[in-house]
Amino acid sequence: MGKEYSLSHFEYFKDRDLSHSLDTLTGILNREALMGYVNWLIENNRKFSFFLVDVDNFKNVNDTYGHLVGDIVISQMAAYFVKMSGKQGVVARYGGDEFIILCEDVSEYNDVWKIGHEINMRIGGIVFEGIPNLAITVSMGIARFPLDANTPQKLMETADKALYRAKMKGRNCFIIYLPEKHANISLKKERDKQQTQMQLTYTLFGNLTACGEDISLAINTVFKSFISYYMFDHICLETPKNINHSIVFTLSSQKQFKHIPIEMIDSLINSAGYISLNNVEGLNEDSYGDIMKEYAKQQIKSTLYCKISSYGVDYGYIRVDTSNTARIWQNTEIAMVMTAANVIGLLLHYQKKTLEDLPLVVPTEAGSIE
């Protein structure tokens, strides 16, 4: 890649020796060289867009195939980004499985959106050497100069906030930083994320097990916690007759989620008691055409169902939806929702109630991006 990667058509790189500025694995720019370019653009007041790209669930690639295969994936991803950016962008490896694509003279929202969309749409077509069945997706956070930040540090921070939002939406998407939506996002270190996860688990058990007779209030509190933390577009109880305790994320573009007959769902559920569909359009239309029509009506792109049951009695499901963009469901998300479903099932059993016995709660909006 190093010999092939020519940047001489950019003013900043025209007469520069890049022999010590390239990443040894991928042959694209290293972090230091890229940030030197960023500083020069800012000093010369050149507008640009800054794409912070993270390979989704890359740890799973290393754990499953080994680090040598992981290196192949990173190298081929770098080559893909170079090909995609063409003469318009400069590509660097920021570190690990993170890349930066910088597009000089591109800062209008629609132009930036087109680039992000094309990367996102075409990335699924990559065939990795020696691993034909490996599918890779990326999450991107995008910031623009001078609109969003006026220093390299602030530019990185705004892109990181947008990337955080993309990950919390379920990965496999891109987010362009908008101050009215993302300025209040609080970035968390990995240790803080683990502590927050532990706090969420503690809160879940605390709310559900200390609720006394008022299961309804506890469910509402837990669902609002899920919406705020995971940024699901929608969560509810799917009962045999209706949906209840429906909470919609404040920033969700879709607000009208409706009941889906349980008999349509039952055939999807696996032996562990749940089904997670990253993209509902991937269902077999011959077998699941009716439920696919329901998803289309409600603009649902991905969904998660966790069965509420106890001692052999099935009560219904916790249903989680995303609209507009698909979501790659994470094991931690599934585990938390499954835990809530299991505890609710036990509460119903010991209180001798069904989901239909719970009062109907008017759908509400909740959640924040802080």
Side-chain angles (χ1 to χ4, degrees), residues 61-72:
V61 176
N62 281 333
D63 291 347
T64 303
Y65 298 100
H67 288 274
L68 290 178
V69 171
D71 287 348
I72 292 173

Side-chain angles (χ1 to χ4, degrees), residues 84-289:
M84 279 294 302
S85 59
K87 298 291 185 179
Q88 193 175 30
V90 173
V91 184
R93 186 183 182 199
Y94 190 73
D97 60 335
E98 285 191 328
F99 296 86
I100 290 172
I101 303 172
L102 197 152
C103 296
E104 191 175 342
D105 294 324
V106 178
S107 63
E108 293 296 325
Y109 186 92
N110 288 341
D111 296 332
V112 174
W113 190 92
K114 287 176 183 177
I115 294 172
H117 180 69
E118 186 173 7
I119 292 173
N120 204 243
M121 291 296 291
R122 291 176 57 183
I123 202 165
I126 302 177
V127 178
F128 293 95
E129 188 178 310
I131 26 177
N133 295 321
L134 178 63
I136 292 291
T137 60
V138 299
S139 300
M140 292 180 282
I142 308 166
R144 294 169 287 167
F145 175 85
L147 189 63
D148 301 325
N150 56 12
T151 69
Q153 293 75 21
K154 289 182 179 178
L155 191 72
M156 187 68 195
E157 182 180 320
T158 52
D160 213 8
K161 287 182 177 182
L163 176 62
Y164 177 82
R165 175 79 173 107
K167 289 181 178 180
M168 293 304 287
K169 276 186 69 68
R171 297 171 169 82
N172 190 27
C173 65
F174 65 95
I175 296 292
I176 302 173
Y177 179 85
L178 294 172
E180 64 270 23
K181 289 187 176 182
H182 309 127
N184 291 327
I185 288 177
S186 177
L187 297 173
K188 298 178 177 68
K189 295 180 181 179
E190 194 59 38
R191 183 178 178 181
D192 294 333
K193 292 177 184 177
Q194 292 173 0
Q195 290 176 339
T196 305
Q197 187 75 26
M198 291 172 62
Q199 291 167 358
L200 188 64
T201 305
Y202 178 80
T203 301
L204 185 156
F205 273 99
N207 287 330
L208 289 178
T209 57
C211 67
E213 295 294 316
D214 198 349
I215 303 176
S216 185
L217 178 62
I219 291 171
N220 212 45
T221 302
V222 168
F223 281 8
K224 286 182 177 179
S225 297
F226 282 161
I227 285 282
S228 293
Y229 186 76
Y230 292 118
M231 297 181 187
F232 301 143
D233 283 326
H234 174 241
I235 187 169
C236 69
L237 295 176
E238 188 78 78
T239 82
K241 296 181 180 179
N242 52 43
I243 62 172
N244 198 358
H245 294 80
S246 184
I247 310 291
V248 180
F249 185 52
T250 301
L251 297 180
S252 175
S253 59
Q254 164 68 336
K255 305 294 185 182
Q256 303 298 320
F257 293 92
K258 305 294 183 182
H259 173 59
I260 296 176
I262 276 186
E263 56 268 22
M264 291 186 180
I265 302 164
D266 286 335
S267 61
L268 294 170
I269 303 300
N270 61 28
S271 59
Y274 75 91
I275 182 66
S276 58
L277 299 174
N278 293 336
N279 188 345
V280 299
E281 293 176 356
L283 288 172
N284 184 317
E285 191 170 359
D286 291 336
S287 301
Y288 301 107

